[in-house]
Amino acid sequence: MKKKGQAWGFDLMIAAVIFTAGILFFFLYVLNSPNEQDAIFAELLYEGNSIGDSLLSEGYPTNWNETNVISIGLLTDGKIDDAKFKLFNSLSETNYQRTKQIFNVAHEYYVFFDEEIIIDSEKINGTGKIVSGSENLVRVTRVVVQDSKIKNLN
């Protein structure tokens, strides 16, 4: 009889270890799984960085305009080109959805400098779409040179 009791006790210990491991795995997975807000934040951060990377290039083609632009870029010789920024502003005002397609983003964006800029006697605060009352916002800041001054492009 002792042998049968010992075998049953050993089976019970193995089952208890497997059950405890399963419960532990379940709770660790549930407690550490990313929630919806984290996923939205990661997506917004990715899109913000993607727009920033695109804008801090020369764009494609290099001398792009509103009709032939494939990639929107604002730089010429490592500095913000006022003509390209004005083209970007104009394109954003006339065909915002196209700019979202060019940037390959699903969410709204707004690009601005910390200080308003003046191009051809026109003050430009920013370009894109300001969405008031938004709960999910991500701000990506890049340091650029515009009019021989160091500025933040947000």
Side-chain angles (χ1 to χ4, degrees), residues 131-148:
V131 180
S132 61
S134 294
E135 294 179 13
N136 299 314
L137 296 174
V138 172
R139 181 176 181 166
V140 176
T141 302
R142 305 288 175 99
V143 177
V144 296
V145 177
Q146 195 265 335
D147 284 339
S148 300

Side-chain angles (χ1 to χ4, degrees), residues 2-15:
K2 287 185 177 181
K3 290 184 178 182
K4 288 183 182 180
Q6 290 174 348
W8 185 80
F10 184 71
D11 288 349
L12 183 63
M13 288 185 348
I14 296 292

Side-chain angles (χ1 to χ4, degrees), residues 15-33:
V17 168
I18 291 172
F19 181 75
T20 304
I23 293 292
L24 184 65
F25 175 77
F26 173 75
F27 279 111
L28 288 176
Y29 177 75
V30 169
L31 294 177
N32 292 325
S33 67

